[in-house]
Short mmCIF file of all heavy atoms in Angstrom, two decimals:
data_model
loop_
_atom_site.label_atom_id
_atom_site.label_comp_id
_atom_site.label_asym_id
_atom_site.label_seq_id
_atom_site.Cartn_x
_atom_site.Cartn_y
_atom_site.Cartn_z
N LEU A 208 91.85 90.68 104.24
CA LEU A 208 91.52 91.54 105.38
C LEU A 208 92.37 91.16 106.60
O LEU A 208 92.78 92.03 107.37
CB LEU A 208 90.03 91.45 105.71
CG LEU A 208 89.06 92.02 104.68
CD1 LEU A 208 87.62 91.75 105.10
CD2 LEU A 208 89.28 93.52 104.48
N ARG A 209 92.62 89.87 106.77
CA ARG A 209 93.47 89.44 107.89
C ARG A 209 94.89 90.01 107.75
O ARG A 209 95.48 90.48 108.73
CB ARG A 209 93.51 87.92 107.97
CG ARG A 209 94.27 87.39 109.18
CD ARG A 209 94.16 85.89 109.31
NE ARG A 209 94.90 85.41 110.47
CZ ARG A 209 94.41 85.35 111.71
NH1 ARG A 209 93.16 85.75 111.94
NH2 ARG A 209 95.14 84.90 112.71
N VAL A 210 95.40 89.98 106.53
CA VAL A 210 96.72 90.56 106.29
C VAL A 210 96.71 92.06 106.59
O VAL A 210 97.67 92.61 107.16
CB VAL A 210 97.15 90.30 104.83
CG1 VAL A 210 98.44 91.07 104.50
CG2 VAL A 210 97.34 88.81 104.57
N LEU A 211 95.62 92.72 106.22
CA LEU A 211 95.51 94.17 106.36
C LEU A 211 95.12 94.62 107.76
O LEU A 211 95.02 95.83 108.02
CB LEU A 211 94.47 94.71 105.37
CG LEU A 211 94.87 94.79 103.90
CD1 LEU A 211 93.64 95.06 103.05
CD2 LEU A 211 95.92 95.88 103.69
N ALA A 212 94.91 93.68 108.67
CA ALA A 212 94.35 94.01 109.99
C ALA A 212 95.00 95.21 110.68
O ALA A 212 94.29 96.06 111.23
CB ALA A 212 94.40 92.78 110.90
N PRO A 213 96.34 95.34 110.65
CA PRO A 213 96.93 96.51 111.33
C PRO A 213 96.53 97.85 110.72
O PRO A 213 96.70 98.89 111.37
CB PRO A 213 98.45 96.27 111.17
CG PRO A 213 98.59 94.80 110.94
CD PRO A 213 97.37 94.41 110.15
N LEU A 214 96.00 97.82 109.49
CA LEU A 214 95.66 99.06 108.80
C LEU A 214 94.16 99.32 108.76
O LEU A 214 93.72 100.34 108.21
CB LEU A 214 96.20 99.01 107.35
CG LEU A 214 97.69 98.74 107.19
CD1 LEU A 214 98.06 98.65 105.72
CD2 LEU A 214 98.52 99.79 107.89
N LEU A 215 93.37 98.43 109.34
CA LEU A 215 91.91 98.51 109.24
C LEU A 215 91.28 99.02 110.53
O LEU A 215 91.86 98.94 111.61
CB LEU A 215 91.33 97.14 108.90
CG LEU A 215 91.73 96.53 107.56
CD1 LEU A 215 91.15 95.12 107.44
CD2 LEU A 215 91.27 97.39 106.39
N ARG A 216 90.04 99.50 110.38
CA ARG A 216 89.20 99.85 111.53
C ARG A 216 88.39 98.60 111.85
O ARG A 216 87.38 98.30 111.20
CB ARG A 216 88.28 101.02 111.20
CG ARG A 216 88.99 102.37 111.12
CD ARG A 216 89.77 102.53 109.85
NE ARG A 216 90.49 103.81 109.80
CZ ARG A 216 91.43 104.08 108.92
NH1 ARG A 216 91.82 103.17 108.02
NH2 ARG A 216 92.02 105.26 108.91
N LEU A 217 88.83 97.85 112.82
CA LEU A 217 88.33 96.49 113.05
C LEU A 217 86.94 96.45 113.66
O LEU A 217 86.27 95.40 113.64
CB LEU A 217 89.31 95.71 113.91
CG LEU A 217 90.71 95.54 113.31
CD1 LEU A 217 91.62 94.81 114.29
CD2 LEU A 217 90.64 94.78 111.98
N ASP A 218 86.46 97.56 114.22
CA ASP A 218 85.13 97.59 114.81
C ASP A 218 84.03 97.84 113.79
O ASP A 218 82.84 97.82 114.14
CB ASP A 218 85.05 98.66 115.90
CG ASP A 218 85.87 98.30 117.13
OD1 ASP A 218 86.10 97.09 117.34
OD2 ASP A 218 86.29 99.22 117.86
N ALA A 219 84.41 98.10 112.54
CA ALA A 219 83.40 98.34 111.50
C ALA A 219 82.49 97.12 111.37
O ALA A 219 82.96 95.97 111.43
CB ALA A 219 84.07 98.64 110.17
N ARG A 220 81.20 97.36 111.17
CA ARG A 220 80.22 96.28 111.13
C ARG A 220 80.06 95.74 109.72
O ARG A 220 80.42 96.39 108.72
CB ARG A 220 78.85 96.79 111.62
CG ARG A 220 78.84 97.27 113.05
CD ARG A 220 77.45 97.73 113.45
NE ARG A 220 76.52 96.61 113.55
CZ ARG A 220 75.21 96.75 113.77
NH1 ARG A 220 74.68 97.96 113.87
NH2 ARG A 220 74.42 95.69 113.86
N THR A 221 79.48 94.56 109.62
CA THR A 221 79.10 93.97 108.34
C THR A 221 77.65 93.55 108.42
O THR A 221 77.08 93.38 109.50
CB THR A 221 79.98 92.75 107.99
OG1 THR A 221 79.66 91.68 108.89
CG2 THR A 221 81.46 93.07 108.09
N ALA A 222 77.04 93.36 107.26
CA ALA A 222 75.62 93.03 107.21
C ALA A 222 75.33 91.60 107.68
O ALA A 222 74.16 91.24 107.83
CB ALA A 222 75.09 93.23 105.79
N ASP A 223 76.36 90.80 107.91
CA ASP A 223 76.09 89.45 108.44
C ASP A 223 76.10 89.44 109.97
O ASP A 223 76.05 88.38 110.60
CB ASP A 223 77.06 88.42 107.86
CG ASP A 223 78.44 88.43 108.54
OD1 ASP A 223 78.78 89.47 109.15
OD2 ASP A 223 79.14 87.42 108.45
N GLY A 224 76.17 90.64 110.58
CA GLY A 224 76.05 90.74 112.02
C GLY A 224 77.37 90.76 112.76
O GLY A 224 77.39 90.93 113.98
N ARG A 225 78.47 90.57 112.05
CA ARG A 225 79.77 90.54 112.69
C ARG A 225 80.55 91.83 112.42
O ARG A 225 80.16 92.64 111.58
CB ARG A 225 80.58 89.35 112.19
CG ARG A 225 79.96 87.99 112.54
CD ARG A 225 80.86 86.85 112.09
NE ARG A 225 80.90 86.71 110.64
CZ ARG A 225 81.75 85.90 110.00
NH1 ARG A 225 82.63 85.18 110.69
NH2 ARG A 225 81.72 85.81 108.68
N THR A 226 81.64 92.00 113.13
CA THR A 226 82.57 93.08 112.83
C THR A 226 83.67 92.56 111.91
O THR A 226 83.82 91.35 111.71
CB THR A 226 83.22 93.63 114.11
OG1 THR A 226 84.02 92.59 114.69
CG2 THR A 226 82.16 94.10 115.10
N ILE A 227 84.46 93.49 111.36
CA ILE A 227 85.62 93.08 110.55
C ILE A 227 86.56 92.22 111.39
O ILE A 227 87.14 91.24 110.91
CB ILE A 227 86.34 94.32 109.98
CG1 ILE A 227 85.45 95.05 108.97
CG2 ILE A 227 87.66 93.91 109.33
CD1 ILE A 227 85.16 94.28 107.70
N ALA A 228 86.70 92.55 112.67
CA ALA A 228 87.55 91.74 113.56
C ALA A 228 87.05 90.31 113.63
O ALA A 228 87.84 89.35 113.61
CB ALA A 228 87.58 92.36 114.96
N ASP A 229 85.73 90.13 113.72
CA ASP A 229 85.16 88.78 113.77
C ASP A 229 85.45 88.02 112.48
O ASP A 229 85.76 86.82 112.50
CB ASP A 229 83.64 88.85 113.98
CG ASP A 229 83.25 89.45 115.32
OD1 ASP A 229 84.02 89.29 116.28
OD2 ASP A 229 82.18 90.08 115.38
N VAL A 230 85.34 88.73 111.35
CA VAL A 230 85.56 88.09 110.04
C VAL A 230 87.00 87.57 109.94
O VAL A 230 87.25 86.42 109.56
CB VAL A 230 85.25 89.06 108.89
CG1 VAL A 230 85.67 88.46 107.54
CG2 VAL A 230 83.76 89.40 108.85
N ILE A 231 87.96 88.41 110.32
CA ILE A 231 89.35 87.98 110.15
C ILE A 231 89.75 86.93 111.18
O ILE A 231 90.66 86.14 110.94
CB ILE A 231 90.32 89.18 110.18
CG1 ILE A 231 90.32 89.88 111.52
CG2 ILE A 231 89.97 90.16 109.08
CD1 ILE A 231 91.32 91.01 111.61
N ASP A 232 89.05 86.90 112.31
CA ASP A 232 89.33 85.86 113.30
C ASP A 232 88.87 84.48 112.82
O ASP A 232 89.31 83.46 113.36
CB ASP A 232 88.63 86.19 114.63
CG ASP A 232 89.37 87.26 115.42
OD1 ASP A 232 90.54 87.54 115.08
OD2 ASP A 232 88.77 87.82 116.35
N SER A 233 87.99 84.46 111.81
CA SER A 233 87.44 83.19 111.32
C SER A 233 88.29 82.55 110.22
O SER A 233 87.97 81.47 109.75
CB SER A 233 86.02 83.40 110.80
OG SER A 233 86.02 84.19 109.62
N VAL A 234 89.36 83.23 109.80
CA VAL A 234 90.22 82.69 108.74
C VAL A 234 91.68 82.69 109.19
O VAL A 234 92.04 83.37 110.16
CB VAL A 234 90.08 83.50 107.43
CG1 VAL A 234 88.67 83.42 106.89
CG2 VAL A 234 90.49 84.95 107.64
N GLY A 235 92.49 81.97 108.48
CA GLY A 235 93.91 81.91 108.80
C GLY A 235 94.73 82.85 107.96
O GLY A 235 94.23 83.59 107.10
N ASP A 236 96.03 82.85 108.20
CA ASP A 236 96.96 83.64 107.41
C ASP A 236 97.07 83.06 106.00
O ASP A 236 96.68 81.92 105.75
CB ASP A 236 98.34 83.63 108.07
CG ASP A 236 98.35 84.33 109.41
OD1 ASP A 236 97.58 85.30 109.57
OD2 ASP A 236 99.10 83.89 110.30
N PRO A 237 97.60 83.84 105.05
CA PRO A 237 97.79 83.31 103.69
C PRO A 237 98.60 82.01 103.72
O PRO A 237 99.63 81.92 104.39
CB PRO A 237 98.55 84.42 102.97
CG PRO A 237 98.19 85.66 103.71
CD PRO A 237 98.04 85.25 105.14
N ALA A 238 98.12 81.01 103.00
CA ALA A 238 98.78 79.71 102.99
C ALA A 238 100.13 79.79 102.25
O ALA A 238 100.26 80.56 101.29
CB ALA A 238 97.89 78.68 102.33
N PRO A 239 101.10 79.02 102.66
CA PRO A 239 102.42 79.10 102.02
C PRO A 239 102.45 78.61 100.58
O PRO A 239 103.36 78.98 99.83
CB PRO A 239 103.30 78.20 102.92
CG PRO A 239 102.34 77.31 103.64
CD PRO A 239 101.09 78.09 103.81
N TRP A 240 101.45 77.81 100.20
CA TRP A 240 101.46 77.27 98.83
C TRP A 240 100.97 78.27 97.79
O TRP A 240 101.17 78.07 96.59
CB TRP A 240 100.59 76.01 98.75
CG TRP A 240 99.18 76.20 99.24
CD1 TRP A 240 98.69 75.89 100.46
CD2 TRP A 240 98.08 76.76 98.50
NE1 TRP A 240 97.36 76.22 100.56
CE2 TRP A 240 96.96 76.76 99.37
CE3 TRP A 240 97.93 77.26 97.21
CZ2 TRP A 240 95.71 77.25 98.97
CZ3 TRP A 240 96.69 77.75 96.82
CH2 TRP A 240 95.59 77.74 97.69
N GLN A 241 100.32 79.34 98.23
CA GLN A 241 99.72 80.27 97.26
C GLN A 241 100.62 81.49 97.07
O GLN A 241 101.44 81.83 97.93
CB GLN A 241 98.32 80.69 97.72
CG GLN A 241 98.24 81.44 99.03
CD GLN A 241 98.57 82.92 98.90
OE1 GLN A 241 98.15 83.57 97.94
NE2 GLN A 241 99.34 83.46 99.85
N THR A 242 100.45 82.16 95.94
CA THR A 242 101.24 83.36 95.66
C THR A 242 100.37 84.55 95.29
O THR A 242 100.89 85.60 94.89
CB THR A 242 102.23 83.09 94.51
OG1 THR A 242 101.50 82.65 93.35
CG2 THR A 242 103.25 82.04 94.90
N ALA A 243 99.05 84.40 95.39
CA ALA A 243 98.14 85.48 94.97
C ALA A 243 98.04 86.59 96.01
O ALA A 243 97.79 87.75 95.66
CB ALA A 243 96.75 84.92 94.68
N ILE A 244 98.19 86.25 97.30
CA ILE A 244 98.06 87.22 98.38
C ILE A 244 99.39 87.35 99.10
O ILE A 244 99.93 86.37 99.61
CB ILE A 244 96.97 86.80 99.39
CG1 ILE A 244 95.63 86.61 98.68
CG2 ILE A 244 96.84 87.85 100.50
CD1 ILE A 244 94.53 86.08 99.59
N GLY A 245 99.93 88.56 99.13
CA GLY A 245 101.17 88.82 99.84
C GLY A 245 100.92 89.19 101.29
O GLY A 245 99.79 89.09 101.79
N THR A 246 101.93 89.63 101.96
CA THR A 246 101.82 90.07 103.36
C THR A 246 102.42 91.47 103.48
O THR A 246 103.11 91.96 102.57
CB THR A 246 102.56 89.12 104.30
OG1 THR A 246 103.97 89.19 104.01
CG2 THR A 246 102.07 87.70 104.14
N LEU A 247 102.19 92.12 104.60
CA LEU A 247 102.78 93.44 104.81
C LEU A 247 104.30 93.39 104.86
O LEU A 247 104.98 94.34 104.47
CB LEU A 247 102.23 94.06 106.10
CG LEU A 247 100.72 94.39 106.10
CD1 LEU A 247 100.29 94.90 107.46
CD2 LEU A 247 100.37 95.39 105.01
N ASP A 248 104.84 92.26 105.31
CA ASP A 248 106.29 92.09 105.34
C ASP A 248 106.86 91.68 103.99
O ASP A 248 108.04 91.91 103.71
CB ASP A 248 106.69 91.05 106.39
CG ASP A 248 106.42 91.52 107.81
OD1 ASP A 248 106.47 92.74 108.04
OD2 ASP A 248 106.13 90.67 108.67
N ASP A 249 106.04 91.05 103.18
CA ASP A 249 106.48 90.57 101.86
C ASP A 249 105.38 90.86 100.84
O ASP A 249 104.71 89.97 100.35
CB ASP A 249 106.78 89.06 101.93
CG ASP A 249 107.36 88.53 100.62
OD1 ASP A 249 107.89 89.34 99.83
OD2 ASP A 249 107.26 87.30 100.39
N PRO A 250 105.18 92.15 100.50
CA PRO A 250 104.09 92.53 99.60
C PRO A 250 104.38 92.18 98.16
O PRO A 250 105.51 91.86 97.79
CB PRO A 250 103.99 94.03 99.81
CG PRO A 250 105.39 94.45 100.15
CD PRO A 250 105.96 93.32 100.94
N ILE A 251 103.35 92.27 97.34
CA ILE A 251 103.50 92.07 95.90
C ILE A 251 104.18 93.27 95.27
O ILE A 251 104.95 93.16 94.31
CB ILE A 251 102.13 91.82 95.24
CG1 ILE A 251 101.40 90.64 95.91
CG2 ILE A 251 102.26 91.60 93.74
CD1 ILE A 251 102.12 89.32 95.82
#
């Protein structure tokens, strides 16, 4: 979701009381050691 942020409606709510924006603010970008999640600049 953090990778997809520019394409998402970030004000959408979740059942844990936060918005999608809050959720992605709580995590970091994809780690350099992994290859399972790409980025918008370097997609799969």
Side-chain angles (χ1 to χ4, degrees):
L208 293 175
R209 185 174 180 86
V210 172
L211 285 168
L214 305 177
L215 297 175
R216 286 76 182 167
L217 299 177
D218 291 336
R220 298 181 69 186
T221 69
D223 80 338
R225 296 184 290 171
T226 65
I227 294 294
D229 296 329
V230 172
I231 64 177
D232 283 346
S233 68
V234 297
D236 294 327
W240 55 262
Q241 63 81 41
T242 57
I244 303 175
T246 66
L247 294 176
D248 292 331
D249 186 20
I251 304 299

